[in-house]
Each structure stands twice: as structure tokens, then as C-alpha cells.
């Protein structure tokens, strides 16, 4: 069994810990925004270690939209490369846990629709895109 390696970032690591240890009943929102968060569990593409990443909850029917914004930082978050290499993930949304498969969205019309949905769920995504020269990667997670 691969080992779980927690995030090196303290507040992120703590959110995962509180969310998971409570079975999805505590620590399920982003700080003062009160907006809902999901936990994506996947394998690292180099180490194979288990990684857990909290992301904003953007729902599109039965699917989730995963936005690699990282606060508008110049570089993509590392989890983007992990998901490109291995699209099988588990998603925890509060108390519900599902196996899902992700695909990166490249179609312009589909991306535009999902981006609008993402900004509606979490308005700061629009500012994050303004802050960075990279096109923020967008993934769709679909039930398997
Ligand atoms: N980040 C977002 O991008 N979008 C969001 O909507 C979002 C919401 C959110 C809500 C709550 C919260 O607590 C955090 C939130 N974050 C959001 C931050 C998010 O959880 C991540 O912390 C952030 O996106 C950065 O992701 P990262 O994968 O770059 O994390 C870094 C800090 C990290 O874990 N680095 C590891 C390390 O050890 O340095 C690398 C881990 C790794 O995956 N290694 C790979 C492996 O094989 O194991 C190798 C990967 C490679 O290619 O080198």
C-alpha cells in the first residue's frame, strides 16, 4: 500500500486532517468564506505516494470541476501533473466518498462554460486568472 504523504503546507494539511478525521462533518469550508471544499485523493506521479488536496467544490450535475488556480500563482500546482499522469481519483464531498476519473478540459466552449460555473461557485477564481499569465488548468471529474 502506498503511504499517505500530507501536504507540506500547514493550513492545507490541517484542513485535510480535520475534514477526514471528522468523516466529512468538520473543516469542510474555506476559512472565512464559508464556501464548501472537497478533498481529492490521488497518487503522486513520481513517488506513487497518496496525496490529498482540498479544492473548492464546483458541481456540474454528477461531476465536479477541479480548478488549478493556486491563488493565481505563476506556476501550476503540482497536483495538476499528478492528475495528468494518473486520472483515477477519490473525491470526498462532506460525508460522501466516490471513485472518479478526471480529464483535463481542452475544448474552448466546454472550458468557457465550466469556468463560468467555477467563478459562480468561487468568485476569487476570476481574480486569480487576472493575476497570472498561465491559463488556469480545469479538470472534470466524472463518476466511474
Ligand atoms: N488550490 C487550488 O489550486 N484550487 C482550489 O480551488 C483550492 C481550494 C482550496 C481550498 C481549501 C484548501 O485548504 C486549499 C485549497 N487549495 C486550492 C490549495 C490546494 O489544496 C493545494 O495546496 C495547492 O493547489 C497546491 O498544490 P500542490 O500540489 O502544488 O501542493 C504542494 C504544496 C505540494 O504538496 N507539494 C508537494 C511537495 O512535497 O512539495 C509535492 C507533492 C507531489 O505531488 N509530488 C509528486 C509525487 O510523485 O508524489 C511529484 C510531482 C512532480 O511532478 O514533481
Amino acid at each position: 500500500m502506498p503511504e499517505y504523504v500530507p501536504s507540506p503546507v500547514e493550513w492545507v494539511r490541517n484542513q485535510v486532517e480535520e475534514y477526514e478525521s471528522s468523516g466529512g462533518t468538520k473543516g469542510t469550508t474555506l476559512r472565512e468564506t464559508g464556501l464548501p471544499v472537497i478533498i481529492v485523493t490521488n497518487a503522486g506521479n513520481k513517488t506513487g505516494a497518496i496525496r490529498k488536496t482540498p479544492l473548492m467544490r464546483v458541481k456540474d450535475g454528477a461531476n465536479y470541476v477541479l480548478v488549478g488556480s493556486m491563488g493565481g500563482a505563476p506556476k501550476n500546482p503540482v497536483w495538476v501533473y499528478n492528475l495528468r499522469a494518473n486520472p483515477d481519483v477519490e473525491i470526498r464531498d462532506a460525508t460522501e466518498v466516490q471513485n472518479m476519473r478526471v480529464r483535463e478540459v481542452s475544448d474552448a466552449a466546454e472550458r468557457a462554460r465550466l469556468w463560468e460555473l467555477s467563478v459562480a461557485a468561487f468568485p476569487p477564481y476570476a481574480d486569480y486568472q487576472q493575476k497570472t499569465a498561465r491559463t488556469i488548468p480545469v479538470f472534470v471529474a466524472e463518476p466511474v
Side-chain angles (χ1 to χ4, degrees), residues 7-9 11-12 15 30 37 44-48 51 53-56 67-70 77-79 81-82 125:
S7 172
V9 179
W11 70 273
V12 173
Q15 172 141 41
L30 177 66
V37 168
N45 75 94
K46 291 177 184 162
T47 60
R51 304 285 179 184
T53 305
L55 297 176
M56 300 317 294
V67 180
S69 56
M70 201 155 89
V78 173
W79 61 261
Y81 304 100
N82 294 334
Y125 281 147

Coordinates of all heavy atoms in Angstrom, one line a residue, residues 7-9 11-12 15 30 37 44-48 51 53-56 67-70 77-79 81-82 125, ligand 1:
S7 N 0.3 17.3 2.8 CA 0.8 18.5 2.2 C 1.9 19.1 3.1 O 1.7 19.2 4.3 CB -0.3 19.5 2.0 OG 0.2 20.7 1.6
P8 N 2.9 19.7 2.5 CA 3.9 20.4 3.3 C 3.4 21.8 3.8 O 4.0 22.4 4.6 CB 5.1 20.7 2.3 CG 4.5 20.5 0.9 CD 3.3 19.6 1.1
V9 N 2.2 22.2 3.3 CA 1.6 23.5 3.7 C 0.7 23.3 4.9 O -0.2 22.5 4.8 CB 0.9 24.1 2.6 CG1 0.3 25.5 3.0 CG2 1.8 24.3 1.4
W11 N -1.6 24.9 6.8 CA -3.1 25.1 6.9 C -3.8 24.1 6.0 O -5.0 23.7 6.3 CB -3.5 26.6 6.6 CG -3.3 27.1 5.2 CD1 -2.2 27.6 4.6 CD2 -4.3 27.1 4.1 NE1 -2.4 27.9 3.3 CE2 -3.7 27.6 3.0 CE3 -5.6 26.7 4.1 CZ2 -4.4 27.8 1.8 CZ3 -6.3 26.9 2.9 CH2 -5.7 27.5 1.7
V12 N -3.2 23.7 4.9 CA -3.8 22.8 3.9 C -3.8 21.4 4.6 O -4.9 20.7 4.6 CB -3.0 22.7 2.6 CG1 -3.6 21.6 1.7 CG2 -3.2 24.1 1.9
Q15 N -6.4 21.3 7.3 CA -7.8 21.2 6.8 C -8.1 19.7 6.4 O -9.2 19.2 6.7 CB -8.0 22.1 5.6 CG -9.4 21.9 4.9 CD -10.1 23.1 4.4 OE1 -9.5 24.0 3.9 NE2 -11.4 23.2 4.7
L30 N -13.9 26.8 3.2 CA -12.6 27.5 3.2 C -12.7 28.7 4.1 O -13.4 29.7 3.9 CB -12.4 28.1 1.8 CG -11.2 28.9 1.6 CD1 -9.9 28.2 1.8 CD2 -11.2 29.6 0.2
V37 N -15.7 22.9 0.4 CA -14.5 22.4 -0.1 C -14.6 20.9 -0.3 O -15.4 20.2 0.5 CB -13.3 22.7 0.9 CG1 -12.1 22.0 0.7 CG2 -13.1 24.2 0.9
G44 N 0.8 10.3 -6.4 CA 1.8 11.2 -6.9 C 2.5 10.5 -8.2 O 2.6 9.3 -8.2
N45 N 2.8 11.3 -9.2 CA 3.2 10.7 -10.4 C 4.7 10.3 -10.4 O 5.1 9.5 -11.2 CB 3.0 11.7 -11.6 CG 3.9 12.9 -11.7 OD1 4.9 12.8 -12.4 ND2 3.6 13.9 -11.0
K46 N 5.5 10.7 -9.4 CA 6.8 10.3 -9.3 C 7.0 9.3 -8.1 O 7.7 8.3 -8.3 CB 7.8 11.5 -9.1 CG 7.9 12.3 -10.4 CD 8.7 13.5 -10.3 CE 8.7 14.4 -11.5 NZ 9.2 15.8 -11.3
T47 N 6.4 9.7 -7.0 CA 6.6 8.8 -5.8 C 5.6 7.7 -5.7 O 5.8 6.7 -5.0 CB 6.5 9.7 -4.5 OG1 5.1 10.2 -4.6 CG2 7.5 10.8 -4.5
G48 N 4.4 7.9 -6.4 CA 3.3 6.9 -6.2 C 2.6 7.1 -4.8 O 1.7 6.4 -4.5
R51 N -1.7 11.4 -2.2 CA -1.8 12.8 -1.9 C -3.2 13.2 -1.7 O -4.1 12.6 -2.4 CB -1.3 13.6 -3.2 CG 0.2 13.2 -3.6 CD 1.2 13.8 -2.7 NE 2.5 13.4 -3.0 CZ 3.6 13.8 -2.3 NH1 3.4 14.5 -1.2 NH2 4.8 13.5 -2.7
T53 N -5.7 16.6 -1.6 CA -5.7 18.1 -1.9 C -7.1 18.6 -1.7 O -8.1 18.2 -2.4 CB -5.3 18.3 -3.4 OG1 -4.0 17.7 -3.6 CG2 -5.2 19.8 -3.7
P54 N -7.3 19.6 -0.8 CA -8.6 20.3 -0.7 C -8.7 21.2 -1.9 O -7.8 22.0 -2.2 CB -8.5 21.1 0.6 CG -7.2 20.7 1.2 CD -6.3 20.1 0.2
L55 N -9.9 21.3 -2.5 CA -10.2 22.2 -3.6 C -11.6 22.7 -3.4 O -12.4 22.1 -2.7 CB -10.2 21.5 -5.0 CG -8.8 20.9 -5.4 CD1 -9.0 20.2 -6.7 CD2 -7.7 22.0 -5.5
M56 N -11.9 23.8 -4.0 CA -13.3 24.4 -3.9 C -14.3 23.4 -4.5 O -13.9 22.7 -5.5 CB -13.4 25.8 -4.5 CG -12.5 26.8 -3.9 SD -12.4 26.8 -2.1 CE -14.1 27.3 -1.6
V67 N -10.2 23.1 -10.3 CA -9.6 24.3 -10.9 C -8.2 24.5 -10.2 O -8.1 24.7 -9.0 CB -10.5 25.6 -10.6 CG1 -9.8 26.8 -11.1 CG2 -11.9 25.4 -11.2
G68 N -7.2 24.5 -11.1 CA -5.8 24.5 -10.7 C -5.3 26.0 -10.5 O -4.3 26.4 -11.0
S69 N -6.0 26.7 -9.7 CA -5.7 28.2 -9.6 C -4.5 28.5 -8.7 O -3.8 29.4 -9.0 CB -7.0 28.9 -9.0 OG -7.3 28.3 -7.7
M70 N -4.4 27.8 -7.6 CA -3.4 28.0 -6.6 C -3.2 29.6 -6.4 O -2.1 30.1 -6.4 CB -2.1 27.4 -7.0 CG -1.2 27.2 -5.8 SD 0.0 25.9 -6.0 CE 1.4 26.8 -6.7
P77 N -0.2 24.2 -9.8 CA 0.0 23.3 -8.6 C 0.5 22.0 -9.1 O 0.2 21.5 -10.2 CB -1.4 23.2 -8.0 CG -2.4 23.8 -8.9 CD -1.6 24.6 -10.0
V78 N 1.3 21.3 -8.2 CA 1.9 20.0 -8.5 C 0.8 19.0 -8.8 O 1.0 18.1 -9.6 CB 2.9 19.6 -7.4 CG1 3.4 18.2 -7.7 CG2 4.0 20.5 -7.3
W79 N -0.3 19.1 -8.1 CA -1.4 18.0 -8.3 C -1.9 18.0 -9.8 O -2.3 16.9 -10.2 CB -2.5 18.2 -7.3 CG -3.3 19.5 -7.4 CD1 -3.1 20.6 -6.5 CD2 -4.4 19.9 -8.2 NE1 -4.0 21.6 -6.9 CE2 -4.8 21.2 -7.9 CE3 -5.0 19.2 -9.3 CZ2 -5.8 21.8 -8.6 CZ3 -6.1 19.9 -10.0 CH2 -6.5 21.1 -9.6
Y81 N 0.0 17.9 -12.4 CA 0.8 16.9 -13.1 C 0.5 15.5 -12.6 O 0.6 14.6 -13.4 CB 2.3 17.3 -12.9 CG 2.6 18.7 -13.3 CD1 2.7 19.7 -12.4 CD2 2.7 19.0 -14.7 CE1 2.8 21.1 -12.9 CE2 2.8 20.3 -15.1 CZ 2.9 21.3 -14.2 OH 3.0 22.6 -14.6
N82 N 0.2 15.4 -11.3 CA -0.2 14.1 -10.8 C -1.5 13.6 -11.5 O -1.6 12.4 -11.9 CB -0.5 14.1 -9.3 CG 0.8 14.4 -8.6 OD1 1.9 14.1 -9.0 ND2 0.7 15.0 -7.4
Y125 N -11.7 33.0 -8.2 CA -11.1 32.4 -9.4 C -10.9 33.4 -10.5 O -9.8 33.4 -11.2 CB -11.9 31.3 -9.9 CG -11.8 29.9 -9.2 CD1 -13.0 29.1 -9.1 CD2 -10.7 29.5 -8.6 CE1 -13.0 27.9 -8.4 CE2 -10.6 28.3 -7.9 CZ -11.8 27.5 -7.8 OH -11.7 26.3 -7.2
Ligands
LIG1 N1 -5.8 25.1 -4.7 C1 -6.2 25.2 -6.0 O1 -5.4 25.2 -6.9 N2 -7.6 25.4 -6.3 C2 -8.5 25.4 -5.3 O2 -9.7 25.5 -5.6 C3 -8.1 25.3 -4.0 C4 -9.0 25.4 -2.9 C5 -8.6 25.1 -1.6 C6 -9.5 25.0 -0.5 C7 -9.1 24.7 0.8 C8 -7.7 24.5 1.0 O3 -7.3 24.1 2.2 C9 -6.8 24.5 0.0 C10 -7.2 24.9 -1.3 N3 -6.3 24.9 -2.4 C11 -6.7 25.1 -3.7 C12 -4.8 24.6 -2.2 C13 -4.6 23.2 -2.6 O4 -5.1 22.3 -1.6 C14 -3.1 22.9 -2.8 O5 -2.4 23.1 -1.6 C15 -2.5 23.8 -3.8 O6 -3.2 23.8 -5.0 C16 -1.0 23.5 -4.1 O7 -1.0 22.1 -4.6 P1 0.4 21.4 -4.8 O8 0.1 20.0 -5.3 O9 1.3 22.2 -5.6 O10 0.9 21.3 -3.3 C17 2.3 21.5 -3.0 C18 2.4 22.4 -1.8 C19 2.7 20.1 -2.6 O11 2.0 19.3 -1.9 N4 3.9 19.8 -2.9 C20 4.5 18.5 -2.6 C21 5.9 18.7 -2.0 O12 6.2 17.8 -1.3 O13 6.5 19.7 -2.3 C22 4.6 17.8 -3.9 C23 3.7 16.6 -3.8 C24 3.6 15.8 -5.0 O14 2.5 15.6 -5.5 N5 4.7 15.1 -5.6 C25 4.6 14.2 -6.7 C26 4.8 12.8 -6.3 O15 5.1 12.0 -7.2 O16 4.4 12.5 -5.2 C27 5.7 14.6 -7.7 C28 5.1 15.6 -8.6 C29 6.0 16.2 -9.7 O17 5.6 16.2 -10.8 O18 7.1 16.7 -9.3

